[in-house]
Amino acid sequence: MARLKRLCPPGIAQHVIQRGNNRQLCFGCDEDTVFYIHWLKEYAKQFNVQVHAWVLMTNHVHLLATPMEKDGLSKLMQFLGRRYVQYFNRSYRRTGTLWEGRFKSCLVQSEEYLLQCYRYIELNPVRAKMVADPAEYKWSSYRANALGIKTDLCTPHPQYLALGETEFLRMAAYRQLFCGQLDRKLIEEIRVTVNKGMALGNARFKQELEALFSRRVQPGKPGRPAGF
């Protein structure tokens, strides 16, 4: 089956995952994560991409980001991936690929799903049983979004800003979102859409995207295509 063309329109948030090849280690020490974050900030600025949420796990990366220019996110991931692989191979005296092919991504509907993606991304260390509370994990955006730790990496999305009129109220409302666990059905929906390059949103959002870009953004019906 032919691979679907990646959609990277400006102004629409995307959930991005990049995994290590065969789930191999991507970050072996704190220094690795520091370098990755440094280059993420550098290329996000260069290609005009707003990063809203992120987490660096041992063998993969999650981002929630909005490109402000066409193909900005694709360029960011391409340059970042190459730069980090060069550093990683040199540091660990290895050669060859590090990433599992091209990164995976899906478009995210702001109104209904964007804050859910924030939660999904920042709760990764909790689901992996690495920490009991997302605030305990320092390699994510949770401390910035929930506790006000200053960073020049994260740009608040309008949906985040709508949580309250002041920074204090926004952070309090944001922390409240993490009081309950994500629904298992929602977790599976998020995983399927990003792995298959679909869209995360309601039926109207998906129909509008398909009409605009002439490209399928939801799973096709099972069975053989018409005419076979």
Side-chain angles (χ1 to χ4, degrees):
M1 182 179 294
R3 187 168 63 183
L4 291 173
K5 180 181 179 181
R6 188 189 302 282
L7 293 180
C8 194
I12 300 180
Q14 295 197 43
H15 176 201
V16 174
I17 299 178
Q18 187 153 43
R19 296 188 178 93
N21 192 39
N22 295 320
R23 306 300 174 96
Q24 74 181 59
L25 185 77
C26 297
F27 304 101
C29 63
D30 285 355
E31 187 177 25
D32 296 344
T33 55
V34 169
F35 275 112
Y36 187 95
I37 292 169
H38 170 76
W39 289 318
L40 173 58
K41 289 190 289 188
E42 178 182 319
Y43 291 122
K45 182 178 180 180
Q46 179 176 338
F47 297 114
N48 200 11
V49 176
Q50 296 182 354
V51 178
H52 312 302
W54 57 273
V55 67
L56 306 186
M57 305 295 284
T58 55
N59 63 3
H60 67 282
V61 175
H62 286 267
L63 302 175
L64 179 63
T66 301
M68 304 310 292
E69 298 176 5
K70 183 180 179 181
D71 296 326
L73 187 58
S74 293
K75 293 176 182 177
L76 160 64
M77 296 304 295
Q78 180 183 12
F79 278 74
L80 173 60
R82 288 178 179 174
R83 184 76 173 270
Y84 184 75
V85 169
Q86 292 172 354
Y87 156 80
F88 192 86
N89 285 353
R90 183 174 63 251
S91 298
Y92 292 92
R93 298 181 180 180
R94 65 184 298 278
T95 60
T97 185
L98 174 64
W99 305 116
E100 185 182 68
R102 69 175 192 166
F103 70 91
K104 299 182 183 297
S105 65
C106 72
L107 301 175
V108 180
Q109 182 183 26
S110 297
E111 294 80 2
E112 296 186 25
Y113 284 88
L114 190 119
L115 290 175
Q116 303 288 21
C117 272
Y118 267 86
R119 295 174 64 204
Y120 176 86
I121 289 170
E122 294 174 352
L123 282 171
N124 256 262
V126 177
R127 287 195 300 275
K129 302 187 185 304
M130 299 172 71
V131 294
D133 187 285
E136 299 172 15
Y137 194 76
K138 63 180 179 179
W139 301 119
S140 89
S141 53
Y142 181 82
R143 294 183 180 187
N145 291 322
L147 305 178
I149 303 300
K150 299 303 179 183
T151 174
D152 54 357
L153 173 58
C154 283
T155 300
H157 189 277
Q159 289 295 316
Y160 174 89
L161 294 175
L163 289 173
E165 294 183 355
T166 67
E167 183 181 22
F168 178 82
L169 291 175
R170 286 193 292 271
M171 289 189 298
Y174 190 76
R175 291 193 298 270
Q176 191 65 29
L177 295 175
F178 288 75
C179 290
Q181 296 187 4
L182 281 171
D183 180 76
R184 289 185 179 181
K185 184 177 180 181
L186 176 60
I187 291 175
E188 183 61 22
E189 184 180 5
I190 291 173
R191 287 173 175 168
V192 169
T193 53
V194 71
N195 283 316
K196 292 188 176 182
M198 299 287 114
L200 184 63
N202 60 26
R204 181 178 178 180
F205 176 69
K206 295 173 184 178
Q207 291 167 1
E208 290 176 347
L209 288 175
E210 289 181 337
L212 186 61
F213 298 108
S214 300
R215 192 275 219 186
R216 180 166 58 85
V217 298
Q218 50 191 325
K221 295 181 180 180
R224 292 186 176 185
F228 280 70

